[in-house]
Amino acid sequence: MTVYFIDGQFTERDGLAISIDDRGYYFGDGVYEVIKVYGGELYTAKEHIDRLFQSATKIKMTMPYAEVQLMEIARELVAKNNILVGHVYIQVTRGSATRMHQFPDPTVPPVVTGYAINNPRPMTGIENGVGVKSVADVRWLRCDIKSLNLLGNVLAKQEALEAGCIEALLHRDGVVTEGSSSNMFGVKDGTVYTHPVTNLILNGITRQVVLGLCEEQGIPVVEKSFTIDEAFEMDEFFLTSTTSEVTPVISIDGRPVGSGILGPLTMKLQKAFSSQIPSFIADE
Ligand code: PLP
């Protein structure tokens, strides 16, 4: 049975109680992270926990634990749930208090919840590529915060799935921002293009890893936004996220990207990404 973390304790699902007054439940008033586990080890955990703290600061919420304590909670969730390949989910809400929009009394403690589950690498998408659907990005203007408020992302993902695609390619007035739960990259004439780090995207940890790999491999990168029309003209396209790693995008709105098969630069990055995963062979 999955072991969860809530209110300072590790609990099995049956013993778990969540307050109806939790502000995460009423308002999506909280922040979260998803940390990948490979071979029983947390991957880029420091980066994720740092970002969790940054998100909390941006919503003016004081974290109830230090970074090292959260790291330990994440490690214990992996150990208690015997996770080999999967992920840890951690969320922190602004606590439980009678419903009112303004912040509760500062004595109300934030609520930290977490779990860890086994979840294999999505090899089908990684090896064969996926299709995406362009969807208007109607989210708020603080997409840099990994907030629990995900309704815009949820609606976009659902629209993409209903069109037979795996992810939404979000755009604001025709300018590509990111995916509903991923960052988007185009490749043109050997250069990788992606949206710059602004309030309009989440600066993905995988995005940062991939940009580092581009540097190591001598692949030029331009962090500059591009339009949906330009996306159609890319030679290659891919998306990144903690759970989807480097996934090739082979079609946009049903139209093939480039030759419509996995591109060489994407495959090079996939290889580089896989080879720096801890205990990579544990999942093979
Ligand atoms: N953009 C959005 C909106 C996301 O929700 C996510 C991940 O869930 C990402 C980008 C990718 O971020 P990361 O690579 O840190 O998982």
Side-chain angles (χ1 to χ4, degrees):
M1 202 186 271
T2 308
V3 175
Y4 291 76
F5 179 84
I6 178 161
D7 270 347
Q9 286 179 27
F10 292 94
T11 319
E12 288 197 344
R13 197 184 176 108
D14 284 352
L16 202 140
I18 303 210
S19 165
I20 193 159
D21 282 329
D22 193 291
R23 291 178 64 89
Y25 178 63
Y26 284 142
F27 301 111
D29 186 2
V31 294
Y32 76 105
E33 278 298 330
V34 176
I35 311 174
K36 188 78 192 172
V37 177
Y38 293 109
E41 287 173 51
L42 291 164
Y43 173 69
T44 55
K46 183 169 183 331
E47 289 81 350
H48 282 280
I49 289 174
D50 280 353
R51 188 173 63 184
L52 187 66
F53 274 73
Q54 286 157 18
S55 293
T57 302
K58 288 174 180 176
I59 67 161
K60 303 185 168 89
M61 185 173 72
T62 309
M63 292 289 275
Y65 296 110
E67 294 211 15
V68 282
Q69 288 173 306
L70 272 181
M71 186 75 84
E72 196 44 41
I73 291 166
R75 277 204 199 99
E76 281 202 46
L77 283 170
V78 171
K80 287 183 192 300
N81 288 294
N82 296 314
I83 307 300
L84 192 58
V85 176
H87 65 259
V88 174
Y89 176 84
I90 297 178
Q91 77 168 42
V92 189
T93 72
R94 207 186 303 274
S96 177
T98 306
R99 186 182 182 281
M100 54 177 185
H101 283 61
Q102 68 267 36
F103 294 176
D105 187 277
T107 55
V108 171
V111 173
V112 179
T113 325
Y115 65 82
I117 54 164
N118 279 301
N119 180 20
R121 300 174 68 205
M123 296 316 292
T124 307
I126 290 173
E127 285 170 1
N128 304 313
V130 298
V132 298
K133 180 182 190 299
S134 59
V135 177
D137 189 346
V138 297
R139 300 173 302 161
W140 72 332
L141 296 174
R142 291 308 307 274
C143 300
D144 54 311
I145 303 172
K146 201 162 168 69
S147 132
L148 294 176
N149 255 297
L150 289 170
L151 200 46
N153 309 58
V154 166
L155 292 174
K157 179 81 91 187
Q158 184 63 23
E159 190 175 331
L161 259 60
E162 284 174 9
C165 294
I166 221 77
E167 175 60 306
L169 176 61
L170 297 176
H171 64 90
R172 288 194 193 257
D173 294 328
V175 175
V176 171
T177 49
E178 59 179 340
S180 73
S181 58
S182 59
N183 291 110
M184 293 286 176
F185 300 75
V187 180
K188 188 75 188 166
D189 300 327
T191 297
V192 171
Y193 292 86
T194 195
H195 196 284
V197 176
T198 69
N199 59 312
L200 299 183
I201 67 156
L202 182 76
N203 186 9
I205 304 301
T206 324
R207 175 189 184 279
Q208 295 169 51
V209 168
V210 165
L211 294 185
L213 293 171
C214 285
E215 197 175 343
E216 269 172 44
Q217 305 274 328
I219 299 167
V221 173
V222 177
E223 292 183 65
K224 181 173 166 285
S225 55
F226 53 83
T227 64
I228 286 279
D229 287 342
E230 286 168 326
F232 285 124
E233 300 305 317
M234 295 288 181
D235 302 325
E236 299 177 37
F237 212 86
F238 60 91
L239 59 85
T240 66
S241 79
T242 295
T243 49
S244 44
E245 303 180 3
V246 179
T247 294
V249 172
I250 54 171
S251 71
I252 302 173
D253 293 345
R255 284 163 59 175
V257 180
S259 49
I261 54 164
L262 267 58
L265 199 143
T266 308
M267 287 197 287
K268 189 173 175 183
L269 283 172
Q270 286 184 310
K271 198 162 165 239
F273 186 86
S274 290
S275 55
Q276 48 86 57
I277 289 172
S279 311
F280 172 55
I281 48 163
D283 188 37
E284 294 303 289

